[in-house]
Amino acid sequence: IMITSARRQEDQDQVAHLIRSIRRYELLRIAFAQLLGLIDDSQTRMALTELADATLGASLQSARAAVIRSLGVADLDLDFAVIAMGRLGGQELGYGSDADVLFVFEPRAAAGALVAVSDGPEEPTAANRAHAVAEELRGMLSAPSSDPPLILDANLRPEGRNGPLVRSLSSYAEYYARWSSVWEAQALLRARFCAGDPQLGEKFIDLIDDIRYPPGGLPAADVLEVRRIKGRVDAERLPRGADPHTHTKLGRGGLTDVEWTAQLLQLRYAHEVPGLRISATLPALWAAAEAGKLSDDQAAALEAAWRLASRARDAIMLVRDKADDQLPNQGLVLAAVGRVLDYPPGSDPGQLVDDYRRTTRRARKVVESVFYDAPAVDPTS
């Protein structure tokens, strides 16, 4: 619908408005379906992800066309793909989620082969054109409007904010071969092609598989580095004044705890457990359990906390109409969040807080055992 409708528009601003207004309508439709019990939480996350994918696909087509018009050329002579990362890559989007992405391009002359960034006179032109497409795409989806923005966050790219916004496939290959660090391998666990040229997307995924699923598993030094980074996240990123027991993202037993535990298991064992080669959190947990890397009780405790934290986060967004990771402790907002989470009318709102703390406390015990205390070298290897 987005693509068909956009093609009828000649003005780029109108195209952006149309795509975003359709997205707003679909967001409301998903929210109403969830609140009425027509779809469950898993279906909600998938629907939100598919909506983001469709928005990116339609917007990318329009962005390419806008750059072609601005340059006065017949074609950009390059392939361009958007790689979903983070919760978008895991197909786990919530109502308030940004879209973590990487941008990759390949000059048509280089199709079928990886060439150095400096090879061929077409590469700088292709890089400039690809950068223009990415900027046009970001502007379309984030410009001030009555429609909600879809913020594209590209900070998981090589070198983070200091690195180029867009890289060629060959540049990614060179970077990951020479300078990739363990945090980048961890971030790539959720990478998934979501928009643009599918063949280029497939090439990128093939390129990164040995990075995110290291042959032979993760060296002990890298296991310790992942733990060190997580320790810094725990100590430094929780907002001032936030309650660590009820912060859905960074709190004890919250989303970050569960996701990092799943990701460390993937980094360590995906080379030998095919089921761990997946971008979604819950299937990775159960693949680890099936392989004997977690007990069923541990996987169940982590899943329960992840589901409750995700549901609470979405409920807060629906109630307050703004993203907030902190579960309220009392008052009308807490009562409203409880209703969204199917607590009966008139029930004690504090029951939600008690249930949340109990569920995440169980998960945190698993995190401490599996993520922090497990030997850095697999004793069975």
Side-chain angles (χ1 to χ4, degrees):
I1 294 176
M2 287 180 176
I3 293 174
T4 302
S5 301
R7 284 175 177 167
R8 301 192 187 108
Q9 309 299 317
E10 295 182 0
D11 181 78
Q12 181 67 4
D13 290 339
Q14 285 298 318
V15 171
H17 171 72
L18 183 65
I19 290 173
R20 288 175 59 173
S21 64
I22 293 173
R23 177 173 175 265
R24 177 186 59 185
Y25 173 84
E26 291 298 320
L27 283 171
L28 286 171
R29 197 168 67 90
I30 293 167
F32 289 148
Q34 182 186 20
L35 291 171
L36 292 171
L38 301 177
I39 57 176
D40 62 23
D41 298 303
S42 297
Q43 291 170 317
T44 299
R45 287 190 291 273
M46 182 59 71
L48 290 170
T49 299
E50 290 175 348
L51 176 57
D53 285 356
T55 302
L56 283 166
S59 299
L60 178 58
Q61 284 198 19
S62 178
R64 285 190 67 124
V67 173
I68 287 173
R69 288 195 300 271
S70 68
L71 295 176
V73 296
D75 190 76
L76 296 182
D77 293 322
L78 60 86
D79 295 321
F80 189 101
V82 181
I83 306 299
M85 303 285 283
R87 296 182 76 79
L88 176 62
Q91 299 179 300
E92 299 162 348
L93 275 193
Y95 291 106
S97 299
D98 292 344
D100 291 306
V101 295
L102 299 178
F103 300 118
V104 58
F105 76 94
E106 186 175 39
R108 294 269 168 79
L114 294 180
V115 296
V117 174
S118 58
D119 285 355
E122 73 280 11
E123 186 75 8
T125 300
N128 292 340
R129 291 178 176 184
H131 188 273
V133 170
E135 290 288 15
E136 179 68 24
L137 176 62
R138 295 207 302 177
M140 287 179 63
L141 296 175
S142 64
S145 169
S146 58
D147 298 309
L150 179 60
I151 303 299
L152 302 187
D153 187 340
N155 289 337
L156 292 176
R157 64 188 185 269
E159 302 177 87
R161 290 189 179 97
N162 297 322
L165 177 63
V166 187
R167 285 180 182 262
S168 67
L169 185 65
S170 59
S171 177
Y172 276 108
E174 181 179 5
Y175 177 88
Y176 288 135
R178 298 179 61 182
W179 296 296
S180 179
S181 59
V182 68
W183 76 263
E184 290 171 314
Q186 183 181 354
L188 290 171
L189 287 169
R190 286 176 148 186
R192 174 183 65 85
F193 165 75
C194 70
D197 183 76
Q199 291 184 331
L200 177 57
E202 184 178 349
K203 289 179 184 179
F204 182 88
I205 297 302
D206 288 343
L207 168 67
I208 64 172
D209 273 351
D210 280 350
I211 306 298
R212 59 181 177 171
Y213 310 134
L218 199 64
D222 284 344
V223 173
L224 297 176
E225 176 65 6
V226 172
R227 291 173 176 167
R228 185 192 68 80
I229 296 172
K230 178 63 165 63
R232 287 191 59 187
V233 170
D234 289 346
E236 299 175 6
R237 293 195 180 178
L238 190 71
R240 181 175 297 179
D243 184 347
H245 301 289
T246 54
H247 195 274
T248 59
K249 182 177 181 180
L250 298 171
R252 297 170 63 83
L255 294 172
T256 300
D257 264 3
V258 176
E259 290 165 2
W260 280 60
T261 300
Q263 290 159 14
L264 183 58
L265 291 168
Q266 289 177 284
L267 288 168
R268 298 188 70 176
Y269 304 117
H271 69 288
E272 64 182 65
V273 181
L276 285 171
R277 300 169 198 165
I278 190 168
S279 63
T281 301
L282 298 185
L285 289 175
W286 286 105
E290 186 176 349
K293 309 303 182 183
L294 285 175
S295 70
D296 286 351
D297 287 345
Q298 288 175 324
L302 293 173
E303 176 179 3
W306 190 91
R307 286 189 181 277
L308 182 54
S310 296
R311 294 180 65 211
R313 208 177 183 210
D314 280 347
I316 294 167
M317 178 68 183
L318 291 176
V319 168
R320 302 191 64 190
D321 195 26
K322 67 176 183 178
D324 191 345
D325 294 318
Q326 181 64 61
L327 187 70
N329 291 321
Q330 58 185 353
L332 292 176
V333 174
L334 178 61
V337 169
R339 291 293 294 121
V340 174
L341 296 180
D342 298 325
Y343 283 78
S347 62
D348 179 8
Q351 186 62 49
L352 167 57
V353 178
D354 292 343
D355 291 345
Y356 185 91
R357 289 170 66 101
R358 180 171 57 254
T359 301
T360 54
R361 186 166 57 246
R362 291 171 180 165
R364 179 65 184 194
K365 290 181 180 178
V366 178
V367 172
E368 290 172 351
S369 172
V370 175
F371 184 89
Y372 286 110
D373 295 338
V377 177
D378 187 352
T380 64
S381 62

